[in-house]
Amino acid sequence: AQRVTQPEKLLSVFKGAPVELKCNYSYSGSPELFWYVQYSRQRLQLLLRHISRESIKGFTADLNKGETSFHLKKPFAQEEDSAMYYCALGEDNTDKLIFGTGTRLQVFP
Amino acid sequence: NAGVTQTPKFQVLKTGQSMTLQCAQDMNHNSMYWYRQDPGMGLRLIYYSASEGTTDKGEVPNGYNVSRLNKREFSLRLESAAPSQTSVYFCASRGTLNEQFFGPGTRLTVL
């Protein structure tokens, strides 16, 4: 079955430190992966999609098919990065996304 | 474009009361979704609609009904609210690259 795992519920770092939010997936085909961000009491917003291979707000994510991972990284965290981050996988042959349980990132000054 | 809009933003119900959450999108998207968000559980799909006139159950459909009124609107109804339905509810629609656009959410408390 397709599944997305975000092993960390909470990740706390200091401003300027590197950040890596982990995401592992189970899927046998060619996965379609996304990162969404939710700032405090706001709606979820798309941050990255793997097919775009872009950097948004300093964040990048590389698809590693061998390790079935799509970790989100930023070299220098900022306080405004504090938010909830969700990894999502496009479900095969449907219009649905499978979301992980999310990781809360706290960046301390 | 307003994107995805939801009403109401907040609601408090007593156990057994009914209510309908409204959602509309102005992006001409075919697919729309209702999720609930609970601490430690992430986002769980309640129902979705792949096109006008069709609806399908998601992961947690019990206690809910939906109506795809037209291409723009997708409503979620709680016929007899229970405390276990206390949650934040998000509506979303699907864009052309399979990304989903979310509404601002409805914070529902059932006493």
Side-chain angles (χ1 to χ4, degrees):
Chain A
Q2 294 176 252
R3 190 170 59 247
V4 175
T5 303
Q6 293 181 252
E8 304 140 329
K9 288 187 176 181
L10 175 65
L11 184 63
S12 299
V13 300
F14 286 101
K15 176 182 174 181
V19 168
E20 183 179 57
L21 288 84
K22 291 182 167 49
C23 173
N24 289 90
Y25 64 91
S26 60
Y27 182 58
S28 57
S30 293
E32 189 173 19
L33 288 152
F34 305 84
W35 275 101
Y36 282 82
V37 60
Q38 185 183 27
Y39 300 103
S40 180
R41 294 190 174 247
Q42 294 187 25
R43 70 183 75 196
L44 278 83
Q45 308 169 39
L46 178 66
L47 182 62
L48 289 175
R49 73 190 96 209
H50 90 272
I51 58 173
S52 300
R53 300 186 62 82
E54 57 201 342
S55 174
I56 304 294
K57 298 184 179 182
F59 285 97
T60 59
D62 291 319
L63 178 61
N64 186 324
K65 290 186 179 181
E67 296 183 357
T68 59
S69 68
F70 187 55
H71 302 330
L72 184 68
K73 299 177 183 179
K74 185 169 183 176
F76 307 104
Q78 303 298 315
E79 289 178 67
E80 55 265 31
D81 296 327
S82 295
M84 194 74 172
Y85 291 81
Y86 290 96
C87 183
L89 169 69
E91 188 179 83
D92 198 20
N93 296 322
T94 76
D95 294 342
K96 295 186 287 185
L97 293 179
I98 300 168
F99 284 86
T101 51
T103 297
R104 180 169 299 282
L105 175 64
Q106 289 182 332
V107 182
F108 295 110
Chain B
N1 284 353
V4 180
T5 57
Q6 290 181 236
T7 56
K9 289 187 177 180
F10 302 94
Q11 184 71 50
V12 179
L13 294 176
K14 294 181 179 178
T15 296
Q17 287 185 316
S18 62
M19 79 160 294
T20 299
L21 282 67
Q22 306 287 353
C23 173
Q25 52 92 10
D26 61 2
M27 296 175 282
N28 202 36
H29 292 162
N30 287 319
S31 297
M32 297 183 72
Y33 310 82
W34 276 105
Y35 295 92
R36 58 178 291 172
Q37 183 184 43
D38 301 289
M41 308 288 284
L43 284 168
R44 292 183 292 171
L45 183 65
I46 304 171
Y47 270 94
Y48 71 103
S49 169
S51 63
E52 183 180 349
T54 67
T55 61
D56 285 288
K57 295 179 180 179
E59 182 185 354
V60 288
N62 291 346
Y64 305 94
N65 284 301
V66 290
S67 295
R68 185 71 183 270
L69 305 170
N70 47 56
K71 193 170 187 178
R72 290 187 65 251
E73 298 171 292
F74 187 37
S75 62
L76 178 71
R77 183 161 179 84
L78 287 71
E79 290 291 350
S80 179
S84 60
Q85 294 178 304
T86 293
S87 187
V88 181
Y89 291 86
F90 286 99
C91 177
S93 66
R94 176 179 175 267
T96 54
L97 298 178
N98 208 24
E99 76 279 31
Q100 291 187 11
F101 297 87
F102 285 82
T106 295
R107 192 170 292 270
L108 175 67
T109 301
V110 183
L111 302 174

